[in-house]
Amino acid sequence: MEKYVYKVVLKNSISALDQKVLTYLYLPIIGAKAMALYQFLAYEYESIKELRNMKITEERILKNLGYSEDALDKQCKKLEALNLLEILQNNKKQHKIYNVYAPLEPSDFFANKIFSALLLKNTSKDDFDIARFILKMKVIFLMNKVTLKE
């Protein structure tokens, strides 16, 4: 089966805080394979945005991550379920667009009953509390840093 030609669109910039949110909040829910796909697509945006005329197929994703087509589909669904990824597909032209989104802010993540319940289900209560504490402190630090600059 011929692989789809794809393009990646980074819908939001992904900050250092976002990386911590991904690691502490999303990784326990989606797992390492989906996280690897997310990171690959986010970095792929930077790599291929200048290659407008080059047709890059999903074979690149499969080879780089060592996934089968079924595994790629499964990991994409995990990312889509948590609103980190949206896939637009044109079957006639065999094209896909991977829209990659930044994760929720920590306060929004914990306010989301489904996301916080999934995190608690996939970690211990202690790990859940540690993640909440680490990210709360990081947000406070960043807010103080911005206030001091002003």
Side-chain angles (χ1 to χ4, degrees):
M1 179 167 113
E2 186 171 328
K3 307 293 182 279
Y4 281 73
V5 171
Y6 73 93
K7 175 182 167 183
V8 177
V9 177
L10 194 58
K11 293 299 205 172
N12 320 88
S13 63
I14 299 172
S15 68
L17 176 59
D18 291 331
Q19 291 294 344
K20 286 192 184 297
V21 169
L22 288 164
T23 300
Y24 289 111
L25 304 182
Y26 286 83
L27 179 60
I29 298 170
I30 62 175
K33 288 183 179 181
M35 183 62 75
L37 174 60
Y38 180 85
Q39 296 290 348
F40 181 81
L41 291 173
Y43 293 132
E44 192 75 334
Y45 169 76
E46 292 298 325
S47 301
I48 64 175
K49 71 179 177 183
E50 302 298 324
L51 307 173
R52 294 181 188 145
N53 296 328
M54 183 178 261
K55 293 185 185 239
I56 302 172
T57 68
E58 284 185 304
E59 187 69 28
R60 176 173 166 78
I61 299 171
L62 299 176
K63 284 187 177 183
N64 276 282
L65 296 176
Y67 292 172
S68 66
E69 290 178 32
D70 289 339
L72 176 61
D73 186 53
K74 181 179 178 181
Q75 302 314 316
C76 285
K77 286 180 177 154
K78 289 179 184 180
L79 295 171
E80 287 177 304
L82 293 177
N83 303 319
L84 294 172
L85 183 66
E86 175 188 43
I87 301 172
L88 306 175
Q89 184 171 315
N90 183 327
N91 291 332
K92 190 174 181 181
K93 292 186 177 182
Q94 297 262 294
H95 281 79
K96 283 186 181 178
I97 297 174
Y98 290 95
N99 289 324
V100 178
Y101 294 91
L104 293 174
E105 295 292 322
S107 58
D108 294 332
F109 182 95
F110 287 110
N112 184 310
K113 292 183 192 292
I114 295 171
F115 285 16
S116 57
L118 283 169
L119 178 62
L120 191 54
K121 178 183 174 195
N122 288 289
T123 62
S124 68
K125 174 75 169 111
D126 288 342
D127 286 338
F128 180 89
D129 290 338
I130 289 168
R132 186 172 18 201
F133 176 77
I134 289 170
L135 291 166
K136 183 178 180 181
M137 291 297 103
K138 185 70 174 171
V139 169
I140 290 169
F141 172 76
L142 290 173
M143 288 174 61
N144 287 336
K145 194 173 178 182
V146 169
T147 304
L148 291 174
K149 285 184 180 179
E150 296 173 351

